[in-house]
Amino acid sequence: MNKVTGVPLKAARPEQIDHPIAPSLERRRLRTYALLLLLDAALLHIAFVSAGAIYEGVWLYQRNLVAVQTMLPVFFTIALYNKTYSGEALTNWVFAARQALIALLLSAALLNFVAFYTKSNAQFSRVSVTLGLILSAIALVALRRLVPIIIEKFWAGRTLNRLIIDDGGPGFVHTKADTISAAEYELDPTSHDPFMLDRLGRMLQNQDKVVVSCPHERREAWAFLLKSTGVYGEIVSEPLHLLGATGIHRYDGQERTTLVVSTGPLALRSRISKRLFDIIVAGAALAALSPVLLFIAFRIKLEDGGPILFVQRRLGRGNQFFNMLKFRSMRVELNDADGARSTGREDDRITKVGAFIRRTSIDELPQIINVLRGDMSIVGPRPHALGSRANSKLFWEVDAQYWRRHCLKPGLTGLAQVRGHRGATEQEKDLTDRLKSDLEYISGWSLRRDVEIVLKTVAVLRHDNAY
């Protein structure tokens, strides 16, 4: 019986074992940050209005309103970059108050600097503005002191999802973390079983921090696995050079330390900007291409009366399975659900419409829906079918680094595709070339690079290896 879910596990197949999926606290934090932004804006306005009323005897004193509305964009810009709105700021009110005051003082200094050079200082009352800043500082500190009290009362002080995986290593306890047994869930870091990796990926979904306690000989394997799933991961105590540790963490009240072995490829701001880019581009593409999508759907249905879409299980972020959508390009009875046979030139399984949509990459367009669902991204490593092979070897048998490409969401297009690495993987080099490009993309991600890859993709939609 599992301690977390209470579900019996013995009779379940490994890929069917029930597992806990943590609720997404990230959305809760984002909503809290947004609320704090609004409250800060309201408090600063109230402070400057009150200052005008106290010193000038005028409510809604125009010059104070101009001053605070000019300062707010600068304040928010500084605050977003100095972690005024961050996970630590939700639980450590001293840190949060200090960062908010720094943002307030710097924005006031910049406002004064601009006013000096534009010779508009004389238009503002120094006493009234100074009083507004003092009242703003008091209000900001008071709000920061209140936030952890509210979080403790309504969220039991929990702003992060923490998971401890006990794989037979040194004892490790954290009062605000869930603990599971690797043996109970049949988690083996040395295994390349995609069903086990999918199960682990779903268990780590929404986790903000994962700590693994395991024997010496399994720590390197766990370090690699945590990097592959794209989570922030720590391993209880081990030499740095073997695990590729990026930092050391010591927990209060414990003799043991942990080594930080993975931090995930993208920070919160990067994930937000990438997701917004995906939604904007995918939404616009779906609207613009809807006549083409409808026409192709009609032609596929007209040719043989079979289903319009081909749904295939692929490996996605965190090595989790998802159902990828494509326009069906093969005859129904010859569809290859596992992708065990790569498509080749003059492939006898391809329909007439299928040959055209594969040459022009139109068969991939339904994946726009996958992007809007959140299964995929516009740009990222292309997802592969479970049975995909290179030189008769499964992809992960060619190179174990293959699993690391799944720490980001798979993409409609990617760096490998714009470099011409497309088509069948007949030789091992066909895979390793793609893998090298995928890992390069992950390590050097930027929004600008995503835009460049999208623009370059337009030039390679029709490609000699697209068949």
Side-chain angles (χ1 to χ4, degrees):
M1 185 73 67
N2 178 263
K3 296 177 183 177
V4 178
T5 61
V7 176
L9 303 176
K10 299 302 181 184
R13 290 171 57 196
E15 63 268 29
Q16 294 174 326
I17 290 177
D18 190 18
H19 48 74
I21 297 181
S24 178
L25 295 185
E26 185 172 289
R27 292 181 181 178
R28 180 190 290 178
R29 292 197 303 271
L30 289 174
R31 289 195 295 267
T32 304
Y33 300 151
L35 179 60
L36 282 174
L37 282 165
L38 293 174
L39 288 174
D40 285 345
L43 289 175
L44 264 63
H45 274 85
I46 292 171
F48 273 77
V49 166
S50 300
I54 294 169
Y55 186 73
E56 302 289 346
V58 179
W59 284 99
L60 299 179
Y61 185 56
Q62 189 66 35
R63 292 178 181 177
N64 275 20
L65 287 173
V66 171
V68 69
Q69 289 168 6
T70 304
M71 187 178 66
L72 266 179
V74 182
F75 171 79
F76 285 140
T77 301
I78 297 171
L80 287 168
Y81 275 92
N82 78 347
K83 298 185 178 180
T84 299
Y85 308 103
S86 65
E88 184 178 358
L90 294 180
T91 55
N92 186 342
W93 78 270
V94 175
F95 171 82
R98 182 177 68 244
Q99 300 309 106
L101 290 177
I102 289 172
L104 180 66
L105 291 174
L106 288 177
S107 57
L110 287 171
L111 175 64
N112 185 59
F113 178 81
V114 172
F116 173 79
Y117 274 97
T118 57
K119 298 181 179 181
S120 56
N121 283 37
Q123 298 178 17
F124 298 98
S125 168
R126 291 185 179 87
V127 176
S128 184
V129 170
T130 302
L131 181 58
L133 289 171
I134 293 172
L135 294 176
S136 296
I138 294 171
L140 291 174
V141 171
L143 178 61
R144 265 61 192 179
R145 184 65 188 94
L146 189 61
V147 166
I149 297 174
I150 295 174
I151 289 174
E152 184 65 37
K153 181 176 177 60
F154 293 100
W155 298 353
R158 190 165 181 170
T159 59
L160 297 174
N161 278 325
R162 298 179 177 91
L163 179 68
I164 298 172
I165 300 177
D166 181 5
D167 190 24
F172 188 85
V173 178
H174 195 293
T175 57
K176 293 182 179 179
D178 295 320
T179 301
I180 63 170
S181 166
E184 197 169 9
Y185 284 98
E186 300 184 23
L187 302 177
D188 181 3
T190 64
S191 170
H192 292 288
D193 174 18
F195 291 97
M196 186 280 293
L197 294 172
D198 169 71
R199 185 166 63 255
L200 177 64
R202 294 182 187 280
M203 294 176 67
L204 303 189
Q205 184 177 328
N206 298 328
Q207 296 293 345
D208 297 293
K209 179 181 289 189
V210 179
V211 179
V212 177
S213 180
C214 60
H216 176 280
E217 63 273 11
R218 291 167 73 85
R219 290 171 178 170
E220 191 173 355
W222 271 113
F224 175 78
L225 206 54
L226 291 173
K227 289 182 173 72
S228 300
T229 52
V231 298
Y232 180 96
E234 300 177 1
I235 291 182
V236 180
S237 173
E238 183 51 23
L240 300 175
H241 68 283
L242 289 177
L243 303 181
T246 60
I248 300 176
H249 194 100
R250 189 176 188 88
Y251 289 85
D252 295 337
Q254 299 207 50
E255 297 180 358
R256 308 199 185 279
T257 59
T258 62
L259 303 182
V260 181
V261 296
S262 66
T263 57
L266 301 181
L268 177 61
R269 280 196 296 268
S270 297
R271 293 202 304 273
I272 292 172
S273 60
K274 186 170 177 61
R275 183 58 183 155
L276 287 175
F277 176 76
D278 289 341
I279 293 172
I280 292 170
V281 174
L286 188 62
L289 296 173
S290 55
V292 176
L293 297 174
L294 291 172
F295 176 74
I296 295 299
F298 173 75
R299 288 296 306 272
I300 293 172
K301 196 69 176 178
L302 186 65
E303 182 166 351
D304 61 10
I308 295 168
L309 294 177
F310 173 56
V311 182
Q312 187 178 57
R313 183 165 57 180
R314 298 276 179 111
L315 286 167
R317 186 180 184 274
N319 295 310
Q320 296 181 51
F321 297 136
F322 75 100
N323 290 325
M324 193 187 79
L325 306 177
K326 298 180 70 172
F327 278 130
R328 181 175 60 85
S329 59
M330 295 184 181
R331 287 185 283 166
V332 177
E333 67 276 12
L334 296 178
N335 268 337
D336 184 5
D338 293 328
R341 173 185 167 188
S342 294
T343 308
R345 300 182 190 277
E346 307 300 329
D347 197 308
D348 59 355
R349 299 172 294 171
I350 305 297
T351 63
K352 292 180 180 178
V353 175
F356 169 73
I357 62 177
R358 293 180 75 94
R359 281 197 307 270
T360 55
S361 299
I362 291 176
D363 62 320
E364 310 285 359
L365 289 182
Q367 289 158 45
I368 295 172
I369 298 172
N370 285 118
V371 175
L372 293 174
R373 284 178 178 174
D375 298 326
M376 295 178 64
S377 186
I378 292 293
V379 181
R382 284 293 295 160
H384 297 144
L386 284 182
S388 298
R389 296 174 182 268
N391 193 23
S392 301
K393 293 182 181 179
L394 293 167
F395 283 176
W396 54 86
E397 294 174 341
V398 175
D399 192 331
Q401 293 292 322
Y402 174 78
W403 299 116
R404 290 193 62 186
R405 69 194 296 277
H406 299 143
C407 63
L408 277 183
K409 287 181 183 179
L412 264 170
T413 184
L415 184 61
Q417 283 63 50
V418 299
R419 287 178 172 173
H421 304 311
R422 302 177 62 183
T425 50
E426 297 172 354
Q427 305 297 322
E428 292 183 17
K429 188 176 184 302
D430 295 329
L431 172 66
T432 55
D433 285 345
R434 298 178 196 196
L435 180 58
K436 182 179 178 181
S437 294
D438 291 338
L439 297 180
E440 179 186 332
Y441 168 77
I442 291 169
S443 64
W445 179 88
S446 70
L447 188 59
R448 178 179 177 179
R449 194 171 207 181
D450 274 10
V451 174
E452 291 175 350
I453 290 173
V454 169
L455 295 176
K456 289 179 180 178
T457 298
V458 177
V460 296
L461 287 176
R462 175 68 173 88
H463 193 275
D464 290 340
N465 288 336
Y467 43 80

